[in-house]
PDB file of all heavy atoms in Angstrom:
ATOM      1  N   THR A  15     107.930 127.248  34.185  1.00 95.00           N
ATOM      2  CA  THR A  15     107.380 128.362  33.345  1.00 95.00           C
ATOM      3  C   THR A  15     106.313 127.785  32.353  1.00 95.00           C
ATOM      4  O   THR A  15     105.420 128.381  32.006  1.00 95.00           O
ATOM      5  CB  THR A  15     108.559 129.054  32.573  1.00 95.00           C
ATOM      6  OG1 THR A  15     109.417 128.222  31.891  1.00 95.00           O
ATOM      7  CG2 THR A  15     109.394 129.997  33.454  1.00 95.00           C
ATOM      8  N   ALA A  16     106.527 126.401  31.965  1.00 95.00           N
ATOM      9  CA  ALA A  16     105.657 125.764  31.114  1.00 95.00           C
ATOM     10  C   ALA A  16     104.303 125.495  31.897  1.00 95.00           C
ATOM     11  O   ALA A  16     103.211 125.699  31.431  1.00 95.00           O
ATOM     12  CB  ALA A  16     106.177 124.474  30.508  1.00 95.00           C
ATOM     13  N   ARG A  17     104.506 125.083  33.156  1.00 96.00           N
ATOM     14  CA  ARG A  17     103.213 124.633  33.893  1.00 96.00           C
ATOM     15  C   ARG A  17     102.707 125.804  34.596  1.00 96.00           C
ATOM     16  O   ARG A  17     101.421 125.833  34.781  1.00 96.00           O
ATOM     17  CB  ARG A  17     103.748 123.699  34.999  1.00 96.00           C
ATOM     18  CG  ARG A  17     102.551 123.132  35.724  1.00 96.00           C
ATOM     19  CD  ARG A  17     102.849 121.846  36.600  1.00 96.00           C
ATOM     20  NE  ARG A  17     101.698 121.561  37.299  1.00 96.00           N
ATOM     21  CZ  ARG A  17     101.680 120.716  38.446  1.00 96.00           C
ATOM     22  NH1 ARG A  17     102.707 120.111  38.834  1.00 96.00           N
ATOM     23  NH2 ARG A  17     100.527 120.460  39.044  1.00 96.00           N
ATOM     24  N   TYR A  18     103.413 126.854  34.953  1.00 95.00           N
ATOM     25  CA  TYR A  18     102.839 128.014  35.623  1.00 95.00           C
ATOM     26  C   TYR A  18     103.222 129.218  34.741  1.00 95.00           C
ATOM     27  O   TYR A  18     104.014 130.045  35.185  1.00 95.00           O
ATOM     28  CB  TYR A  18     103.408 128.139  37.041  1.00 95.00           C
ATOM     29  CG  TYR A  18     103.276 126.965  37.863  1.00 95.00           C
ATOM     30  CD1 TYR A  18     104.242 125.978  37.999  1.00 95.00           C
ATOM     31  CD2 TYR A  18     101.980 126.669  38.596  1.00 95.00           C
ATOM     32  CE1 TYR A  18     104.138 124.790  38.630  1.00 95.00           C
ATOM     33  CE2 TYR A  18     101.901 125.457  39.385  1.00 95.00           C
ATOM     34  CZ  TYR A  18     102.957 124.656  39.481  1.00 95.00           C
ATOM     35  OH  TYR A  18     102.777 123.470  40.090  1.00 95.00           O
ATOM     36  N   PRO A  19     102.488 129.443  33.618  1.00 93.00           N
ATOM     37  CA  PRO A  19     102.839 130.490  32.692  1.00 93.00           C
ATOM     38  C   PRO A  19     102.599 131.871  33.376  1.00 93.00           C
ATOM     39  O   PRO A  19     103.273 133.002  32.916  1.00 93.00           O
ATOM     40  CB  PRO A  19     101.978 130.390  31.513  1.00 93.00           C
ATOM     41  CG  PRO A  19     100.852 129.465  32.001  1.00 93.00           C
ATOM     42  CD  PRO A  19     101.443 128.630  33.092  1.00 93.00           C
ATOM     43  N   LYS A  20     101.791 131.925  34.420  1.00 91.00           N
ATOM     44  CA  LYS A  20     101.571 133.307  35.040  1.00 91.00           C
ATOM     45  C   LYS A  20     102.611 133.723  36.034  1.00 91.00           C
ATOM     46  O   LYS A  20     102.815 134.877  36.354  1.00 91.00           O
ATOM     47  CB  LYS A  20     100.194 133.222  35.741  1.00 91.00           C
ATOM     48  CG  LYS A  20      99.038 133.188  34.856  1.00 91.00           C
ATOM     49  CD  LYS A  20      97.740 133.320  35.596  1.00 91.00           C
ATOM     50  CE  LYS A  20      96.507 133.114  34.567  1.00 91.00           C
ATOM     51  NZ  LYS A  20      95.238 133.008  35.302  1.00 91.00           N
ATOM     52  N   ALA A  21     103.475 132.717  36.395  1.00 90.00           N
ATOM     53  CA  ALA A  21     104.529 133.074  37.280  1.00 90.00           C
ATOM     54  C   ALA A  21     105.659 133.949  36.706  1.00 90.00           C
ATOM     55  O   ALA A  21     106.106 133.576  35.626  1.00 90.00           O
ATOM     56  CB  ALA A  21     105.089 131.771  37.852  1.00 90.00           C
ATOM     57  N   SER A  22     105.902 135.087  37.200  1.00 90.00           N
ATOM     58  CA  SER A  22     106.930 135.976  36.530  1.00 90.00           C
ATOM     59  C   SER A  22     108.200 135.713  37.331  1.00 90.00           C
ATOM     60  O   SER A  22     108.542 136.284  38.303  1.00 90.00           O
ATOM     61  CB  SER A  22     106.495 137.392  36.666  1.00 90.00           C
ATOM     62  OG  SER A  22     106.181 137.731  38.019  1.00 90.00           O
ATOM     63  N   LEU A  23     109.052 134.768  36.684  1.00 95.00           N
ATOM     64  CA  LEU A  23     110.248 134.498  37.184  1.00 95.00           C
ATOM     65  C   LEU A  23     111.407 135.421  36.633  1.00 95.00           C
ATOM     66  O   LEU A  23     111.243 135.834  35.475  1.00 95.00           O
ATOM     67  CB  LEU A  23     110.736 133.080  36.944  1.00 95.00           C
ATOM     68  CG  LEU A  23     109.957 132.100  37.770  1.00 95.00           C
ATOM     69  CD1 LEU A  23     110.371 130.601  37.355  1.00 95.00           C
ATOM     70  CD2 LEU A  23     110.207 132.230  39.277  1.00 95.00           C
ATOM     71  N   PRO A  24     112.489 135.721  37.294  1.00 95.00           N
ATOM     72  CA  PRO A  24     113.487 136.498  36.669  1.00 95.00           C
ATOM     73  C   PRO A  24     114.057 135.669  35.502  1.00 95.00           C
ATOM     74  O   PRO A  24     113.978 134.411  35.350  1.00 95.00           O
ATOM     75  CB  PRO A  24     114.541 136.612  37.712  1.00 95.00           C
ATOM     76  CG  PRO A  24     113.871 136.365  39.058  1.00 95.00           C
ATOM     77  CD  PRO A  24     112.674 135.486  38.679  1.00 95.00           C
ATOM     78  N   LEU A  25     114.849 136.404  34.671  1.00 94.00           N
ATOM     79  CA  LEU A  25     115.300 135.700  33.328  1.00 94.00           C
ATOM     80  C   LEU A  25     116.447 134.833  33.638  1.00 94.00           C
ATOM     81  O   LEU A  25     117.190 134.915  34.622  1.00 94.00           O
ATOM     82  CB  LEU A  25     115.921 136.764  32.399  1.00 94.00           C
ATOM     83  CG  LEU A  25     114.886 137.695  31.613  1.00 94.00           C
ATOM     84  CD1 LEU A  25     115.562 138.749  30.867  1.00 94.00           C
ATOM     85  CD2 LEU A  25     114.005 136.844  30.725  1.00 94.00           C
ATOM     86  N   LEU A  26     116.473 133.739  32.939  1.00 94.00           N
ATOM     87  CA  LEU A  26     117.553 132.725  33.011  1.00 94.00           C
ATOM     88  C   LEU A  26     118.825 133.191  32.453  1.00 94.00           C
ATOM     89  O   LEU A  26     118.693 133.909  31.342  1.00 94.00           O
ATOM     90  CB  LEU A  26     117.060 131.415  32.363  1.00 94.00           C
ATOM     91  CG  LEU A  26     117.740 130.195  32.575  1.00 94.00           C
ATOM     92  CD1 LEU A  26     117.464 129.701  33.975  1.00 94.00           C
ATOM     93  CD2 LEU A  26     117.282 129.060  31.528  1.00 94.00           C
ATOM     94  N   PRO A  27     119.951 132.893  32.997  1.00 92.00           N
ATOM     95  CA  PRO A  27     121.162 133.449  32.305  1.00 92.00           C
ATOM     96  C   PRO A  27     121.399 132.781  31.018  1.00 92.00           C
ATOM     97  O   PRO A  27     120.939 131.690  30.713  1.00 92.00           O
ATOM     98  CB  PRO A  27     122.263 132.876  33.255  1.00 92.00           C
ATOM     99  CG  PRO A  27     121.608 132.474  34.624  1.00 92.00           C
ATOM    100  CD  PRO A  27     120.191 132.136  34.208  1.00 92.00           C
ATOM    101  N   ARG A  28     122.085 133.599  30.110  1.00 87.00           N
ATOM    102  CA  ARG A  28     122.143 133.111  28.703  1.00 87.00           C
ATOM    103  C   ARG A  28     123.114 131.951  28.592  1.00 87.00           C
ATOM    104  O   ARG A  28     123.976 131.770  29.568  1.00 87.00           O
ATOM    105  CB  ARG A  28     122.726 134.284  27.895  1.00 87.00           C
ATOM    106  CG  ARG A  28     123.982 134.792  28.186  1.00 87.00           C
ATOM    107  CD  ARG A  28     124.236 136.195  27.636  1.00 87.00           C
ATOM    108  NE  ARG A  28     125.400 136.735  28.160  1.00 87.00           N
ATOM    109  CZ  ARG A  28     126.672 136.479  27.691  1.00 87.00           C
ATOM    110  NH1 ARG A  28     126.916 135.650  26.650  1.00 87.00           N
ATOM    111  NH2 ARG A  28     127.745 136.967  28.292  1.00 87.00           N
ATOM    112  N   LYS A  29     122.937 131.203  27.651  1.00 85.00           N
ATOM    113  CA  LYS A  29     123.661 129.947  27.490  1.00 85.00           C
ATOM    114  C   LYS A  29     124.881 130.333  26.506  1.00 85.00           C
ATOM    115  O   LYS A  29     124.787 130.888  25.420  1.00 85.00           O
ATOM    116  CB  LYS A  29     122.933 128.850  26.729  1.00 85.00           C
ATOM    117  CG  LYS A  29     123.455 127.422  26.970  1.00 85.00           C
ATOM    118  CD  LYS A  29     122.343 126.415  26.467  1.00 85.00           C
ATOM    119  CE  LYS A  29     122.462 125.223  27.254  1.00 85.00           C
ATOM    120  NZ  LYS A  29     121.385 124.341  26.985  1.00 85.00           N
ATOM    121  N   VAL A  30     126.141 129.963  27.003  1.00 81.00           N
ATOM    122  CA  VAL A  30     127.333 130.213  26.180  1.00 81.00           C
ATOM    123  C   VAL A  30     128.199 128.979  26.184  1.00 81.00           C
ATOM    124  O   VAL A  30     128.053 128.231  27.096  1.00 81.00           O
ATOM    125  CB  VAL A  30     128.185 131.444  26.650  1.00 81.00           C
ATOM    126  CG1 VAL A  30     127.472 132.705  26.461  1.00 81.00           C
ATOM    127  CG2 VAL A  30     128.559 131.268  28.121  1.00 81.00           C
ATOM    128  N   LEU A  31     128.922 128.727  25.071  1.00 78.00           N
ATOM    129  CA  LEU A  31     129.685 127.541  24.994  1.00 78.00           C
ATOM    130  C   LEU A  31     130.871 127.493  25.967  1.00 78.00           C
ATOM    131  O   LEU A  31     131.153 126.582  26.673  1.00 78.00           O
ATOM    132  CB  LEU A  31     130.198 127.427  23.477  1.00 78.00           C
ATOM    133  CG  LEU A  31     130.783 125.942  23.205  1.00 78.00           C
ATOM    134  CD1 LEU A  31     130.002 124.909  23.398  1.00 78.00           C
ATOM    135  CD2 LEU A  31     131.320 126.039  21.641  1.00 78.00           C
ATOM    136  N   PHE A  32     131.596 128.697  25.933  1.00 81.00           N
ATOM    137  CA  PHE A  32     132.744 128.795  26.917  1.00 81.00           C
ATOM    138  C   PHE A  32     132.429 129.732  28.012  1.00 81.00           C
ATOM    139  O   PHE A  32     132.156 130.877  27.799  1.00 81.00           O
ATOM    140  CB  PHE A  32     134.047 129.187  26.152  1.00 81.00           C
ATOM    141  CG  PHE A  32     134.445 128.103  25.057  1.00 81.00           C
ATOM    142  CD1 PHE A  32     134.175 128.499  23.824  1.00 81.00           C
ATOM    143  CD2 PHE A  32     135.063 126.963  25.359  1.00 81.00           C
ATOM    144  CE1 PHE A  32     134.470 127.535  22.756  1.00 81.00           C
ATOM    145  CE2 PHE A  32     135.420 126.076  24.552  1.00 81.00           C
ATOM    146  CZ  PHE A  32     135.111 126.282  23.052  1.00 81.00           C
ATOM    147  N   VAL A  33     132.433 129.203  29.252  1.00 79.00           N
ATOM    148  CA  VAL A  33     132.034 129.951  30.441  1.00 79.00           C
ATOM    149  C   VAL A  33     133.286 130.501  31.120  1.00 79.00           C
ATOM    150  O   VAL A  33     134.069 129.665  31.563  1.00 79.00           O
ATOM    151  CB  VAL A  33     131.116 129.147  31.356  1.00 79.00           C
ATOM    152  CG1 VAL A  33     130.670 130.062  32.402  1.00 79.00           C
ATOM    153  CG2 VAL A  33     129.849 128.580  30.488  1.00 79.00           C
ATOM    154  N   GLY A  34     133.359 131.748  31.354  1.00 86.00           N
ATOM    155  CA  GLY A  34     134.454 132.368  32.173  1.00 86.00           C
ATOM    156  C   GLY A  34     133.973 132.664  33.593  1.00 86.00           C
ATOM    157  O   GLY A  34     132.876 132.419  33.961  1.00 86.00           O
ATOM    158  N   GLU A  35     134.974 133.006  34.363  1.00 89.00           N
ATOM    159  CA  GLU A  35     134.740 133.315  35.850  1.00 89.00           C
ATOM    160  C   GLU A  35     133.629 134.359  36.040  1.00 89.00           C
ATOM    161  O   GLU A  35     132.740 134.155  36.867  1.00 89.00           O
ATOM    162  CB  GLU A  35     136.001 133.765  36.470  1.00 89.00           C
ATOM    163  CG  GLU A  35     136.007 133.714  37.989  1.00 89.00           C
ATOM    164  CD  GLU A  35     136.209 132.300  38.451  1.00 89.00           C
ATOM    165  OE1 GLU A  35     136.656 131.440  37.912  1.00 89.00           O
ATOM    166  OE2 GLU A  35     135.525 132.131  39.664  1.00 89.00           O
ATOM    167  N   SER A  36     133.604 135.326  35.175  1.00 91.00           N
ATOM    168  CA  SER A  36     132.609 136.464  35.381  1.00 91.00           C
ATOM    169  C   SER A  36     131.282 135.906  34.948  1.00 91.00           C
ATOM    170  O   SER A  36     130.232 136.248  35.656  1.00 91.00           O
ATOM    171  CB  SER A  36     132.980 137.616  34.529  1.00 91.00           C
ATOM    172  OG  SER A  36     133.015 137.292  33.181  1.00 91.00           O
ATOM    173  N   ASP A  37     131.196 135.117  34.066  1.00 92.00           N
ATOM    174  CA  ASP A  37     129.838 134.423  33.599  1.00 92.00           C
ATOM    175  C   ASP A  37     129.352 133.657  34.794  1.00 92.00           C
ATOM    176  O   ASP A  37     128.155 133.536  35.034  1.00 92.00           O
ATOM    177  CB  ASP A  37     130.047 133.571  32.380  1.00 92.00           C
ATOM    178  CG  ASP A  37     130.455 134.237  31.159  1.00 92.00           C
ATOM    179  OD1 ASP A  37     129.846 135.211  30.919  1.00 92.00           O
ATOM    180  OD2 ASP A  37     131.450 133.814  30.535  1.00 92.00           O
ATOM    181  N   ILE A  38     130.192 132.865  35.439  1.00 93.00           N
ATOM    182  CA  ILE A  38     129.815 131.986  36.561  1.00 93.00           C
ATOM    183  C   ILE A  38     129.236 132.759  37.713  1.00 93.00           C
ATOM    184  O   ILE A  38     128.260 132.509  38.280  1.00 93.00           O
ATOM    185  CB  ILE A  38     130.973 131.031  36.943  1.00 93.00           C
ATOM    186  CG1 ILE A  38     131.414 130.140  35.821  1.00 93.00           C
ATOM    187  CG2 ILE A  38     130.526 130.201  38.262  1.00 93.00           C
ATOM    188  CD1 ILE A  38     132.722 129.410  36.062  1.00 93.00           C
ATOM    189  N   CYS A  39     129.929 133.873  38.042  1.00 94.00           N
ATOM    190  CA  CYS A  39     129.492 134.765  39.160  1.00 94.00           C
ATOM    191  C   CYS A  39     128.133 135.314  38.795  1.00 94.00           C
ATOM    192  O   CYS A  39     127.308 135.493  39.669  1.00 94.00           O
ATOM    193  CB  CYS A  39     130.584 135.856  39.380  1.00 94.00           C
ATOM    194  SG  CYS A  39     132.100 135.264  39.961  1.00 94.00           S
ATOM    195  N   GLU A  40     127.947 135.782  37.614  1.00 94.00           N
ATOM    196  CA  GLU A  40     126.683 136.329  37.056  1.00 94.00           C
ATOM    197  C   GLU A  40     125.646 135.373  37.278  1.00 94.00           C
ATOM    198  O   GLU A  40     124.559 135.548  37.566  1.00 94.00           O
ATOM    199  CB  GLU A  40     126.951 136.867  35.699  1.00 94.00           C
ATOM    200  CG  GLU A  40     125.771 137.579  35.160  1.00 94.00           C
ATOM    201  CD  GLU A  40     125.903 138.027  33.688  1.00 94.00           C
ATOM    202  OE1 GLU A  40     126.988 138.127  33.189  1.00 94.00           O
ATOM    203  OE2 GLU A  40     124.753 138.347  33.057  1.00 94.00           O
ATOM    204  N   ARG A  41     125.924 134.133  36.762  1.00 95.00           N
ATOM    205  CA  ARG A  41     124.878 133.055  36.861  1.00 95.00           C
ATOM    206  C   ARG A  41     124.506 132.647  38.211  1.00 95.00           C
ATOM    207  O   ARG A  41     123.349 132.526  38.513  1.00 95.00           O
ATOM    208  CB  ARG A  41     125.466 131.689  36.185  1.00 95.00           C
ATOM    209  CG  ARG A  41     125.585 131.822  34.663  1.00 95.00           C
ATOM    210  CD  ARG A  41     126.091 130.479  34.088  1.00 95.00           C
ATOM    211  NE  ARG A  41     125.972 130.428  32.647  1.00 95.00           N
ATOM    212  CZ  ARG A  41     126.188 129.376  31.930  1.00 95.00           C
ATOM    213  NH1 ARG A  41     126.588 128.278  32.423  1.00 95.00           N
ATOM    214  NH2 ARG A  41     126.077 129.376  30.646  1.00 95.00           N
ATOM    215  N   ARG A  42     125.478 132.676  39.127  1.00 96.00           N
ATOM    216  CA  ARG A  42     125.150 132.415  40.526  1.00 96.00           C
ATOM    217  C   ARG A  42     124.176 133.528  41.013  1.00 96.00           C
ATOM    218  O   ARG A  42     123.150 133.140  41.796  1.00 96.00           O
ATOM    219  CB  ARG A  42     126.474 132.378  41.459  1.00 96.00           C
ATOM    220  CG  ARG A  42     126.020 132.003  42.898  1.00 96.00           C
ATOM    221  CD  ARG A  42     127.001 132.664  43.865  1.00 96.00           C
ATOM    222  NE  ARG A  42     126.955 134.151  43.895  1.00 96.00           N
ATOM    223  CZ  ARG A  42     126.094 134.840  44.499  1.00 96.00           C
ATOM    224  NH1 ARG A  42     124.985 134.252  45.162  1.00 96.00           N
ATOM    225  NH2 ARG A  42     126.041 136.078  44.419  1.00 96.00           N
ATOM    226  N   ALA A  43     124.496 134.758  40.749  1.00 97.00           N
ATOM    227  CA  ALA A  43     123.626 135.792  41.289  1.00 97.00           C
ATOM    228  C   ALA A  43     122.277 135.744  40.642  1.00 97.00           C
ATOM    229  O   ALA A  43     121.218 135.909  41.357  1.00 97.00           O
ATOM    230  CB  ALA A  43     124.130 137.251  40.915  1.00 97.00           C
ATOM    231  N   MET A  44     122.190 135.329  39.370  1.00 97.00           N
ATOM    232  CA  MET A  44     120.802 135.283  38.612  1.00 97.00           C
ATOM    233  C   MET A  44     120.095 134.060  39.143  1.00 97.00           C
ATOM    234  O   MET A  44     118.760 134.107  39.393  1.00 97.00           O
ATOM    235  CB  MET A  44     121.050 135.139  37.135  1.00 97.00           C
ATOM    236  CG  MET A  44     121.547 136.538  36.534  1.00 97.00           C
ATOM    237  SD  MET A  44     121.905 136.412  34.752  1.00 97.00           S
ATOM    238  CE  MET A  44     120.295 136.669  34.082  1.00 97.00           C
ATOM    239  N   PHE A  45     120.737 132.926  39.390  1.00 97.00           N
ATOM    240  CA  PHE A  45     120.086 131.688  39.991  1.00 97.00           C
ATOM    241  C   PHE A  45     119.613 132.069  41.357  1.00 97.00           C
ATOM    242  O   PHE A  45     118.508 131.495  41.711  1.00 97.00           O
ATOM    243  CB  PHE A  45     121.108 130.501  40.013  1.00 97.00           C
ATOM    244  CG  PHE A  45     121.352 129.896  38.673  1.00 97.00           C
ATOM    245  CD1 PHE A  45     122.635 129.391  38.451  1.00 97.00           C
ATOM    246  CD2 PHE A  45     120.372 129.877  37.682  1.00 97.00           C
ATOM    247  CE1 PHE A  45     122.860 128.704  37.255  1.00 97.00           C
ATOM    248  CE2 PHE A  45     120.644 129.330  36.370  1.00 97.00           C
ATOM    249  CZ  PHE A  45     121.941 128.724  36.089  1.00 97.00           C
ATOM    250  N   ASN A  46     120.333 132.753  42.049  1.00 98.00           N
ATOM    251  CA  ASN A  46     119.881 133.179  43.399  1.00 98.00           C
ATOM    252  C   ASN A  46     118.576 133.987  43.310  1.00 98.00           C
ATOM    253  O   ASN A  46     117.746 133.703  44.160  1.00 98.00           O
ATOM    254  CB  ASN A  46     121.060 134.099  44.110  1.00 98.00           C
ATOM    255  CG  ASN A  46     120.736 134.354  45.652  1.00 98.00           C
ATOM    256  OD1 ASN A  46     120.603 133.346  46.378  1.00 98.00           O
ATOM    257  ND2 ASN A  46     120.708 135.570  45.996  1.00 98.00           N
ATOM    258  N   ASP A  47     118.478 134.923  42.424  1.00 97.00           N
ATOM    259  CA  ASP A  47     117.230 135.642  42.271  1.00 97.00           C
ATOM    260  C   ASP A  47     116.137 134.685  41.876  1.00 97.00           C
ATOM    261  O   ASP A  47     114.985 134.795  42.364  1.00 97.00           O
ATOM    262  CB  ASP A  47     117.410 136.812  41.162  1.00 97.00           C
ATOM    263  CG  ASP A  47     118.353 137.865  41.628  1.00 97.00           C
ATOM    264  OD1 ASP A  47     118.576 137.960  42.827  1.00 97.00           O
ATOM    265  OD2 ASP A  47     118.785 138.599  40.805  1.00 97.00           O
ATOM    266  N   ILE A  48     116.313 133.822  40.954  1.00 97.00           N
ATOM    267  CA  ILE A  48     115.350 132.945  40.392  1.00 97.00           C
ATOM    268  C   ILE A  48     114.849 132.022  41.681  1.00 97.00           C
ATOM    269  O   ILE A  48     113.665 131.968  41.764  1.00 97.00           O
ATOM    270  CB  ILE A  48     115.935 132.009  39.331  1.00 97.00           C
ATOM    271  CG1 ILE A  48     116.137 132.770  37.993  1.00 97.00           C
ATOM    272  CG2 ILE A  48     114.941 130.867  39.095  1.00 97.00           C
ATOM    273  CD1 ILE A  48     116.894 132.192  36.955  1.00 97.00           C
ATOM    274  N   VAL A  49     115.742 131.478  42.410  1.00 98.00           N
ATOM    275  CA  VAL A  49     115.205 130.542  43.463  1.00 98.00           C
ATOM    276  C   VAL A  49     114.466 131.315  44.675  1.00 98.00           C
ATOM    277  O   VAL A  49     113.586 130.807  45.221  1.00 98.00           O
ATOM    278  CB  VAL A  49     116.344 129.574  44.053  1.00 98.00           C
ATOM    279  CG1 VAL A  49     116.849 128.657  43.017  1.00 98.00           C
ATOM    280  CG2 VAL A  49     117.409 130.365  44.815  1.00 98.00           C
ATOM    281  N   LYS A  50     115.030 132.477  44.897  1.00 97.00           N
ATOM    282  CA  LYS A  50     114.235 133.368  45.908  1.00 97.00           C
ATOM    283  C   LYS A  50     112.857 133.629  45.433  1.00 97.00           C
ATOM    284  O   LYS A  50     111.885 133.617  46.209  1.00 97.00           O
ATOM    285  CB  LYS A  50     115.120 134.601  46.172  1.00 97.00           C
ATOM    286  CG  LYS A  50     116.302 134.493  47.034  1.00 97.00           C
ATOM    287  CD  LYS A  50     116.843 135.798  47.384  1.00 97.00           C
ATOM    288  CE  LYS A  50     118.113 135.706  48.315  1.00 97.00           C
ATOM    289  NZ  LYS A  50     117.816 135.042  49.618  1.00 97.00           N
ATOM    290  N   SER A  51     112.757 133.918  44.126  1.00 97.00           N
ATOM    291  CA  SER A  51     111.378 134.286  43.427  1.00 97.00           C
ATOM    292  C   SER A  51     110.461 132.927  43.690  1.00 97.00           C
ATOM    293  O   SER A  51     109.312 133.131  43.842  1.00 97.00           O
ATOM    294  CB  SER A  51     111.637 134.656  42.099  1.00 97.00           C
ATOM    295  OG  SER A  51     110.436 135.034  41.465  1.00 97.00           O
ATOM    296  N   ILE A  52     111.103 131.807  43.280  1.00 97.00           N
ATOM    297  CA  ILE A  52     110.396 130.624  43.346  1.00 97.00           C
ATOM    298  C   ILE A  52     109.856 130.346  44.743  1.00 97.00           C
ATOM    299  O   ILE A  52     108.631 129.900  45.050  1.00 97.00           O
ATOM    300  CB  ILE A  52     111.198 129.388  42.866  1.00 97.00           C
ATOM    301  CG1 ILE A  52     111.435 129.424  41.492  1.00 97.00           C
ATOM    302  CG2 ILE A  52     110.518 128.005  43.276  1.00 97.00           C
ATOM    303  CD1 ILE A  52     112.524 128.452  40.845  1.00 97.00           C
ATOM    304  N   SER A  53     110.678 130.487  45.772  1.00 97.00           N
ATOM    305  CA  SER A  53     110.348 130.275  47.156  1.00 97.00           C
ATOM    306  C   SER A  53     109.336 131.159  47.759  1.00 97.00           C
ATOM    307  O   SER A  53     108.690 130.989  48.830  1.00 97.00           O
ATOM    308  CB  SER A  53     111.620 130.308  48.044  1.00 97.00           C
ATOM    309  OG  SER A  53     112.199 131.478  48.069  1.00 97.00           O
ATOM    310  N   LYS A  54     109.156 132.307  47.068  1.00 96.00           N
ATOM    311  CA  LYS A  54     108.059 133.274  47.529  1.00 96.00           C
ATOM    312  C   LYS A  54     106.731 133.036  46.898  1.00 96.00           C
ATOM    313  O   LYS A  54     105.706 133.568  47.360  1.00 96.00           O
ATOM    314  CB  LYS A  54     108.528 134.800  47.121  1.00 96.00           C
ATOM    315  CG  LYS A  54     109.647 135.214  47.967  1.00 96.00           C
ATOM    316  CD  LYS A  54     110.014 136.641  47.414  1.00 96.00           C
ATOM    317  CE  LYS A  54     111.330 137.048  48.461  1.00 96.00           C
ATOM    318  NZ  LYS A  54     112.039 138.220  47.728  1.00 96.00           N
TER     319      LYS A  54
END
């Protein structure tokens, strides 16, 4: 995002100190959207 400011990537999952199972599942889905967007 710093090098390619025009690239519109989906939002990064928020950072939390203690991560639960639901957070991890949500992160996987969001990371999946991000890498798919990068590969396009």
Side-chain angles (χ1 to χ4, degrees):
T15 50
R17 185 169 174 193
Y18 306 95
K20 288 182 183 173
S22 54
L23 290 176
L25 288 173
L26 195 68
R28 63 198 169 86
K29 200 171 211 173
V30 289
L31 189 57
F32 296 102
V33 182
E35 196 73 28
S36 60
D37 296 308
I38 296 169
C39 292
E40 187 185 338
R41 283 181 174 188
R42 185 211 61 79
M44 291 176 83
F45 286 150
N46 189 55
D47 291 343
I48 289 168
V49 298
K50 279 187 180 300
S51 182
I52 289 171
S53 62
K54 286 176 185 165

